[in-house]
Amino acid sequence: QVQLVESGGGLVQAGGSLRLSCAASGSIVRINSMGWYRQAPGKQRELVATVTSGGVTNYADSVKGRFTLSRDSAKNTVYLQMDSLKPEDTAVYYCNVRTGIVLSYTYWGQGTQVTVSS
């Protein structure tokens, strides 16, 4: 019903920057939130940053001041600008979209690899 297309991952040196993009398409009635989660090998998936339809953002403490989430509502797209990257940021980053009016649905992207070398 909803498809998510992610891009922007890659390999970068510590202190560098990357910009992730996620575009949602399909039978979207209402998007309640969009954002990013990440999962490192052997670790549980964790929230990175999300934004609600009302524009309220939420960041993990570990990325505050370094990552910035923005959105283009007309394109159902969110962007994650990642600056001052650290090796600890290395993970697969997954786009997350939550939709619905009465019933809630959660969609995940395929994931994009971010690798930060020391």
Side-chain angles (χ1 to χ4, degrees):
Q1 185 177 25
V2 175
Q3 296 80 44
L4 305 179
V5 179
E6 304 161 322
S7 63
L11 174 65
V12 66
Q13 291 183 319
S17 299
L18 287 172
R19 190 189 191 209
L20 305 183
S21 299
C22 176
S25 63
S27 301
I28 302 173
V29 178
R30 174 183 176 181
I31 293 180
N32 297 316
S33 68
M34 296 186 70
W36 294 89
Y37 290 68
R38 67 186 181 187
Q39 186 169 24
K43 300 291 184 66
Q44 290 189 324
R45 190 171 300 184
E46 64 176 354
L47 180 147
V48 178
T50 60
V51 60
T52 69
S53 60
V56 178
T57 55
N58 184 33
Y59 294 92
D61 289 339
S62 60
V63 307
K64 288 181 179 178
R66 299 188 298 119
F67 292 9
T68 303
L69 187 68
S70 61
R71 62 174 180 170
D72 185 338
S73 297
K75 297 180 179 179
N76 289 329
T77 301
V78 292
Y79 308 92
L80 184 66
Q81 179 66 43
M82 304 185 293
D83 298 319
S84 301
L85 283 162
K86 304 175 181 179
E88 300 94 294
D89 296 317
T90 296
V92 177
Y93 284 68
Y94 296 91
C95 182
N96 172 265
V97 175
R98 298 181 180 182
T99 68
I101 300 175
V102 177
L103 299 177
S104 296
Y105 299 90
T106 300
Y107 299 91
W108 294 97
Q110 294 182 354
T112 183
Q113 178 70 46
V114 171
T115 302
V116 184
S117 63
S118 60

